[in-house]
């Protein structure tokens, strides 16, 4: 009799557990900030192939903070200054060989953009000044890229907080409202038709 009661109690306990888990509210799906552009993710992934196969498209775009850096004169500037434009934000340094290799392609990609609608924002992470990055861009005749820099290393913490910037080069795909749509760690040949099509989706 005692064994029977114990068996019945176990059945009741299991039923209660099943009822609890069955009625437990499911977590709501993560929603994008209302200002983020929700371009078809399948379409984006279909374009992120070939020379830009390393581009990881976010399932849900996220609004970025006002990433702060400097222009060539040392004046403060931030991501907010580019609101209204699709942005390919690239972090590089002159001591980074893969960065140096991809810079001509980024310069060429900029030439395909209407600067009113899209821009490559290449930010040098060289610490100590802009002389080295400026000299390098001059040497490779990167005349279409505007020189931006973070000579004081302010962006390292910002990027690490976002789970980015663990290595160079790192590139963020950002829509015209300041939302990260995708990222690529490492170098790529950016000047290709698929990348141009991706940028146009966010103009």
């Amino acid at each position: 009799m005692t064994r029977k009661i114990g068996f019945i109690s176990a059945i009741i306990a299991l039923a209660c557990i099943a009822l609890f888990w069955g009625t437990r509210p499911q977590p709501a799906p993560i929603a994008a900030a209302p200002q983020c552009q929700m371009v078809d993710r399948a379409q984006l992934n279909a374009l992120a192939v070939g020379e830009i196969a390393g581009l990881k498209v976010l399932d849900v775009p996220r609004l970025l903070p006002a990433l702060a850096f400097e222009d060539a004169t040392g004046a403060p500037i931030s991501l907010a200054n580019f609101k209204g434009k699709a942005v390919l934000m690239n972090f590089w340094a002159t001591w980074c060989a893969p960065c140096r290799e991809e810079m001509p392609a980024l310069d060429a990609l900029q030439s395909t953009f209407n600067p009113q609608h899209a821009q490559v924002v290449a930010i040098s992470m060289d610490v100590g000044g802009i002389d080295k990055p400026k000299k390098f861009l001059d040497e490779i005749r990167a005349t279409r890229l505007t020189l931006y820099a973070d000579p004081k290393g302010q962006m390292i913490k910002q990027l690490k907080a976002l789970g980015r910037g663990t290595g160079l080069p790192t590139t963020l795909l950002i829509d015209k409202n300041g939302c990260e749509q995708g990222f690529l760690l490492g170098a790529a040949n950016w000047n290709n038709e698929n990348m141009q099509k991706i940028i146009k989706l966010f103009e």
Side-chain angles (χ1 to χ4, degrees):
M1 183 68 177
T2 303
R3 183 180 294 180
K4 185 175 181 181
I5 292 173
F7 176 75
I8 293 172
S9 298
I11 293 295
I12 293 173
L14 288 172
C16 290
I17 292 171
L19 180 64
F20 171 77
W21 285 107
T23 58
R24 190 177 185 180
Q26 297 300 309
I30 299 172
Q35 55 267 69
C36 295
Q37 294 177 260
M38 279 305 299
V39 170
D40 187 329
R41 308 333 265 179
Q43 183 181 11
L44 281 175
N45 280 306
L47 290 170
V49 295
E51 294 172 311
I52 53 170
L55 181 64
K56 307 299 182 186
V57 176
L58 301 187
D59 291 334
V60 179
R62 61 172 174 176
L63 187 63
L64 292 172
L67 300 172
F69 44 104
E70 297 179 4
D71 66 16
T73 69
I77 193 169
S78 77
L79 177 59
N81 290 83
F82 301 92
K83 188 173 182 180
K85 297 182 183 181
V87 170
L88 194 66
M89 183 171 280
N90 175 268
F91 303 95
W92 67 286
T94 57
W95 46 260
C96 164
C99 302
R100 295 171 71 99
E101 290 175 7
E102 71 174 358
M103 206 54 58
L106 286 168
D107 183 63
L109 179 64
Q110 178 61 55
S111 72
T112 69
F113 295 162
N114 179 333
Q116 299 299 315
H117 300 151
Q119 187 169 342
V120 174
V121 178
I123 305 170
S124 166
M125 306 295 278
D126 284 80
V127 177
I130 64 167
D131 290 344
K132 284 186 178 179
K134 183 180 186 306
K135 181 180 178 182
F136 172 71
L137 293 181
D138 289 343
E139 287 175 353
I140 65 170
R141 299 180 182 178
T143 59
R144 305 165 185 102
L145 292 177
T146 300
L147 178 58
Y148 298 106
D150 181 34
K152 299 173 185 174
Q154 302 176 86
M155 300 195 73
I156 298 298
K157 289 183 179 179
Q158 289 181 297
L159 292 175
K160 284 185 176 179
L162 296 170
R164 306 286 181 261
T166 54
L168 296 179
T170 291
T171 306
L172 307 183
L173 173 64
I174 303 171
D175 69 25
K176 62 185 178 182
N177 295 317
C179 298
E180 181 187 17
Q181 297 281 344
F183 67 97
L184 191 149
L185 304 179
N189 181 9
W190 293 102
N191 188 31
N192 62 79
E193 187 177 352
N194 279 15
M195 194 65 232
Q196 294 169 23
K197 288 180 179 178
I198 288 174
I199 289 294
K200 283 197 172 293
L201 293 174
F202 294 107
E203 288 184 352

